[in-house]
Amino acid sequence: MRSGQDLTPKALDKDLDRVGFLGDAAEAMGRRLIAPGLAICFLAVCAILASLQFAASDVSSVLILVTGATVGGYLAITIGANDVANNVGPAVGARVVSITTALIIAAICESAGALLAGGDVVNTISTEIIAPDDIPENFRFMKAMLTAMAAAAIWINIATLVGAPVSTTHTIIGGVVGAGVAASSFAAINWSTLGVIAATWVASPFLGGIVAALLLAFINAKVIYTDDKLSAARFWLPILLGGLAATFTAYMTHKGLHRLIVLPFIPATLAPIVVGAVVWAIYRRVVASQALFLDNRTQSLRSLFAIPLICSAALLSFAHGANDVANAIGPLAAIVNSQSDEINDLHYWILGQLNPVVPLWVSAVGAFGISAGLLLFGRRLVTVVGKRITKLNPIRAFCVTLATSGTVLTASGLGLPVSSTHIAVGAIFGVGLFREWYRNRFVPQKVNGKRHQPIRNREERRRRLLVRRTNLVTIIGAWIVTVPACALLSAGLFHVFDYLLGAQ
């Protein structure tokens, strides 16, 4: 207690400041604990949901499924926290939407993509790399899938903390391979399927980059570098958005909606044409009304690309949910499928049997887990993809998201677990390198109104580099080490798990 000499107004103010500081610190700490607390609540729901699936079974099978659902939910959260940058990073980097708005749009579309169109890629990861028949003992197979999910979750969590946008597809496949080899042998792995997947990993980022560069070249030629930019935008932007809508509708009618309803051939063929025409007609009026208040210059065009960019970012989130939900629940689906004789049929209740390999509750764990991860922890990596590789504006970001979503949707329709991280980053580099090539080949100043002078000075070309190579080295390094590191981690966890539980 202070003496009477210390009880002055000045001393009391200092004490009150200390109390206020402690209160602010406690409040800040409480806010930081909200996200982990909500994540723990979600994992508890996953565990309860899994425990309700058994009609009757032994304790070990119940335990392995409940643990698998919890780890699968945790893996889905880490995927959402890491991969959100691929979906909304370009839109945020172009300053079209805020991070909060982008996260909400991504969460809704991620969940829709995972629930409606996620089955094909889940089947690939859960049954075609390693199957229960490849490992003689069923319980050993379930332990392998469980350790694969745990290793992938740990690796993605580490990558998210250090700010590295690693491929979650690489991570889970590395985990499945490592656990499969540890549980049985190298012969248990379907190397032909793995070879096809690895080939798509190499080809998909180049394809995303090429498509994005071609889109930017097309927009430059047809819109940006024309005399009447606004008239060109009024003509071409509705066509691009209508084509985007038609492509997405075609995917949904032929692949996405097959879990709910199978459309006859004629309606499935006509639906994309009708939807594309309706979107074209509506957006033609929208662009015309926007262009009335704009000047005929390139800067004005950026506002016209805001709506197409938001639409393409939403489509990319849907495509990401359809493809990358397999990374979260592929091993969990394998565990459930291996116990199909012991599990209730309640998870097939909507429209009969939705999918014999991917039950609805398993898809829900992945869908809502990814959405929870990107809403609670997804802000960290947005700037890496959206701002640190190359400068994006709405026009360039639209090319990136449209190229990425189209490539990912095509791969999802084929059942190929491609890396959306690879494709998104490849598209960003494609746009940046195309701009470099154009600026290095032509001087910005026009000669005689239209023609440009080539740049021949090497130092001047180096000064005009628009892509940060240091970030490319970091990202490629993370990609290279992910598969072997996660495979080794998964194999190690399997042996530890096997030792703790005893050989079954």
Side-chain angles (χ1 to χ4, degrees):
M1 184 174 178
R2 291 180 180 271
S3 63
Q5 295 178 348
D6 294 331
L7 295 178
T8 62
K10 185 176 182 181
L12 290 175
D13 289 341
K14 289 182 178 180
D15 290 340
L16 291 175
D17 289 341
R18 293 190 185 98
V19 173
F21 175 77
L22 290 174
D24 293 340
E27 184 180 354
M29 182 63 68
R31 287 196 299 267
R32 295 181 64 180
L33 293 176
I34 290 176
L38 292 175
I40 292 173
C41 292
F42 172 77
L43 297 182
V45 171
C46 293
I48 295 172
L49 189 62
S51 66
L52 297 176
Q53 305 306 314
F54 279 88
S57 183
D58 60 283
V59 176
S60 60
S61 296
V62 175
L63 179 62
I64 203 77
L65 181 63
V66 171
T67 306
T70 306
V71 176
Y74 171 55
L75 176 57
I77 289 175
T78 60
I79 289 174
N82 191 282
D83 271 16
V84 66
N86 307 333
N87 309 340
V88 300
V92 175
R95 299 180 180 180
V96 171
V97 293
S98 65
I99 291 182
T100 301
T101 302
L103 292 177
I104 294 173
I105 294 173
I108 296 173
C109 296
E110 285 272 356
S111 300
L115 290 172
L116 295 176
D120 293 329
V121 183
V122 173
N123 292 344
T124 300
I125 291 182
S126 62
T127 62
E128 296 182 16
I129 297 175
I130 180 172
D133 295 338
D134 298 325
I135 299 177
E137 300 173 4
N138 188 46
F139 189 70
R140 195 171 181 82
F141 171 79
M142 290 189 291
K143 287 191 296 183
M145 293 296 101
L146 180 60
T147 52
M149 288 190 292
I154 293 171
W155 182 258
I156 296 171
N157 208 337
I158 294 173
T160 303
L161 291 175
V162 300
V166 298
S167 168
T168 57
T169 308
H170 284 197
T171 304
I172 190 59
I173 290 181
V176 170
V177 170
V181 172
S184 181
S185 64
F186 283 93
I189 307 300
N190 188 340
W191 295 105
S192 60
T193 300
L194 197 61
V196 173
I197 294 172
T200 62
W201 289 347
V202 176
S204 57
F206 287 101
L207 181 60
I210 291 172
V211 173
L214 290 176
L215 281 172
L216 183 58
F218 175 82
I219 293 174
N220 283 348
K222 297 297 183 180
V223 180
I224 296 177
Y225 297 133
T226 58
D227 294 332
D228 193 349
K229 302 179 188 340
L230 293 180
S231 296
R234 285 195 297 267
F235 179 80
W236 286 109
L237 274 182
I239 293 177
L240 289 174
L241 200 61
L244 175 64
T247 302
F248 177 66
T249 305
Y251 174 83
M252 291 300 297
T253 54
H254 289 87
K255 300 295 294 186
L257 293 177
H258 74 285
R259 299 189 71 180
L260 299 177
I261 185 173
V262 178
L263 294 176
F265 177 77
I266 294 179
T269 303
L270 293 178
I273 300 175
V274 173
V275 172
V278 170
V279 172
W280 170 82
I282 293 174
Y283 194 62
R284 187 183 180 188
R285 295 188 176 184
V286 173
V287 173
S289 62
Q290 288 179 321
L292 291 175
F293 306 98
L294 298 177
D295 298 327
N296 187 36
R297 56 194 184 97
T298 303
Q299 188 70 26
S300 300
L301 294 176
R302 297 180 180 180
S303 62
L304 298 179
F305 277 85
I307 294 178
L309 175 56
I310 294 173
C311 294
S312 59
L315 176 59
L316 177 54
S317 296
F318 183 95
H320 178 267
N323 192 280
D324 280 27
V325 69
N327 303 337
I329 64 170
L332 177 59
I335 293 174
V336 172
N337 193 43
S338 68
Q339 301 184 24
S340 58
D341 294 336
E342 305 174 16
I343 297 180
N344 275 320
D345 291 332
L346 294 178
H347 48 263
Y348 299 129
W349 62 276
I350 295 182
L351 296 180
Q353 187 170 334
L354 283 177
N355 192 309
V357 180
V358 190
L360 180 64
W361 74 271
V362 175
S363 296
V365 168
F368 297 118
I370 290 176
S371 297
L374 65 90
L375 285 173
L376 297 175
F377 309 105
R379 297 172 181 265
R380 182 183 298 271
L381 289 180
V382 170
T383 55
V384 175
V385 174
K387 299 180 180 179
R388 294 182 184 174
I389 296 176
T390 190
K391 186 177 180 180
L392 294 175
N393 61 23
I395 300 173
R396 300 166 202 151
F398 171 73
C399 297
V400 169
T401 53
L402 185 58
T404 305
S405 58
T407 306
V408 174
L409 277 179
T410 301
S412 298
L414 298 174
L416 296 174
V418 296
S419 170
S420 58
T421 306
H422 276 198
I423 299 172
V425 174
I428 293 174
F429 274 102
V431 166
L433 293 175
F434 171 80
R435 293 178 60 223
E436 278 189 7
W437 171 82
Y438 190 87
R439 287 199 176 188
N440 288 337
R441 186 177 178 85
F442 302 107
V443 174
Q445 295 179 352
K446 291 185 177 182
V447 178
N448 296 328
K450 293 184 179 181
R451 299 186 63 184
H452 299 71
Q453 292 291 333
I455 298 175
R456 304 187 183 277
N457 189 306
R458 181 176 298 179
E459 292 298 325
E460 176 67 13
R461 288 191 177 190
R462 184 175 300 176
R463 188 179 66 82
R464 291 170 179 266
L465 294 179
L466 301 174
V467 177
R468 298 180 178 92
R469 268 66 172 176
T470 55
N471 288 290
L472 175 62
V473 174
T474 302
I475 293 171
I476 291 179
W479 290 349
I480 291 174
V481 303
T482 291
V483 174
C486 201
L488 292 174
L489 179 60
S490 179
L493 287 176
F494 178 85
H495 287 302
V496 171
F497 194 31
D498 201 32
Y499 174 78
L500 293 177
L501 292 182
Q504 298 293 324

